[in-house]
């Protein structure tokens, strides 16, 4: 093996070692944030927060994710920020779950959405890990899709059309599934080296899949 091949092999080994470390830290932090989010949801349900809490929590968490997290992601403060964001989203989610639990088949809807979210995430993440395919080509499509979905969500606030709401939720689930493949692929291939930001991306995908599965199941159940 000549000097150039030695350098390439050494460089490739470093990239793989770094990506494996980021992947491990990401899944550990993701597990912790999901657990903390679930805890905050239970607190929210216990104290009985009003439904509008969800919207406030989402807005505040979104602003923190855009303006605060990127500035702190390379320091220890980023850990606190990611827990604050996921805790807020979990707290807001509790208000949504309380509404569903008040329905006759609410517990079944929640359990089905939870199981479905787990199957989707584990299946797609597992596929990205085992196949090691490069899903970076999906980036432009996913961003364009999110813009269209966001505009449709805004429009449906005024239109209040169940059919459109169902279509939006189905589209968001597909987009979030794509993001799971995209983000996991970036970690594996060394495109994402910050496990805090990687956790944030995967958490948002899981959170949105769960929320929109709830919506689909609720509409299909005529609730």
């Amino acid at each position: 093996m000549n000097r150039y091949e030695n350098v390439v092999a050494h460089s490739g080994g470093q990239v793989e070692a770094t990506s494996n470390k980021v992947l491990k830290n990401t899944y550990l932090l993701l597990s912790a944030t999901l657990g903390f989010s679930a805890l905050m949801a239970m607190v929210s349900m216990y104290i009985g927060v009003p439904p509008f809490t969800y919207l406030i929590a989402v807005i505040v968490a979104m602003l923190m994710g855009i303006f605060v997290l990127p500035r702190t992601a390379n320091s220890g403060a980023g850990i606190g920020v990611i827990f604050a964001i996921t805790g807020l989203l979990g707290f807001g989610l509790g208000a949504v779950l309380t509404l569903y639990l008040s329905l006759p088949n609410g517990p079944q809807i929640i359990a089905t959405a939870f199981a479905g979210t787990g199957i989707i995430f584990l299946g797609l993440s597992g596929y990205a890990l085992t196949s090691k395919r490069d899903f970076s080509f999906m980036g432009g499509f996913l961003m364009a899709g999110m813009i269209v979905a966001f505009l449709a969500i805004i429009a449906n606030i005024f239109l209040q059309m169940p059919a459109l709401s169902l279509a939006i939720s189905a589209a968001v689930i597909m987009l979030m599934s794509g993001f799971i493949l995209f983000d996991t692929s970036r970690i594996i291939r060394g495109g994402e080296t910050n496990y805090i930001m990687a956790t944030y991306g995967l958490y948002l995908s899981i959170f949105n899949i769960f929320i929109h599965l709830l919506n689909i199941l609720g509409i299909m159940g005529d609730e």
Side-chain angles (χ1 to χ4, degrees), residues 77-88:
I79 299 292
V81 174
I82 190 68
F83 272 100
I85 291 173
T86 57
L88 268 172

Side-chain angles (χ1 to χ4, degrees), residues 9-22 187-191:
H10 179 67
S11 178
Q14 282 186 324
V15 171
E16 184 176 359
T18 300
S19 63
N20 287 339
K21 182 179 180 181
V22 173
I187 298 171
I188 296 170
R189 305 179 73 84

Side-chain angles (χ1 to χ4, degrees), residues 48-208:
V49 298
F52 66 80
T53 303
Y54 171 73
L55 181 60
I56 295 174
V58 168
I59 292 173
V60 175
M62 181 177 65
L63 292 174
M64 291 181 68
I66 295 173
F67 298 107
V68 182
L69 187 61
R71 300 188 180 200
T72 59
N74 292 312
S75 66
I79 299 292
V81 174
I82 190 68
F83 272 100
I85 291 173
T86 57
L88 268 172
L89 290 174
F91 191 79
L93 179 62
V96 175
L97 295 179
T98 298
L99 290 176
Y100 277 92
L101 286 174
S102 66
L103 303 174
N105 61 339
Q108 292 178 329
I109 290 176
I110 294 173
T112 303
F114 179 80
T117 302
I119 291 171
I120 291 172
F121 174 72
L122 293 175
L124 293 174
S125 185
Y127 176 71
L129 288 171
T130 54
S131 69
K132 298 187 183 298
R133 287 187 58 189
D134 183 3
F135 291 98
S136 59
F137 67 90
M138 298 174 65
F141 168 77
L142 291 173
M143 291 307 298
M146 284 306 301
I147 292 173
V148 173
F150 179 76
L151 293 176
I153 290 172
I154 297 299
N156 205 40
I157 291 176
F158 303 98
L159 299 175
Q160 293 294 309
M161 296 172 57
L164 180 57
S165 179
L166 186 64
I168 290 171
S169 288
V172 170
I173 290 172
M174 292 179 64
L175 288 168
M176 292 302 110
S177 297
F179 272 114
I180 291 173
L181 292 172
F182 178 78
D183 290 337
T184 305
S185 174
R186 287 191 70 228
I187 298 171
I188 296 170
R189 305 179 73 84
E192 178 59 82
T193 57
N194 188 295
Y195 71 94
I196 294 177
M197 295 304 297
T199 299
Y200 179 62
L202 290 174
Y203 177 92
L204 287 183
S205 295
I206 293 171
F207 182 85
N208 279 291

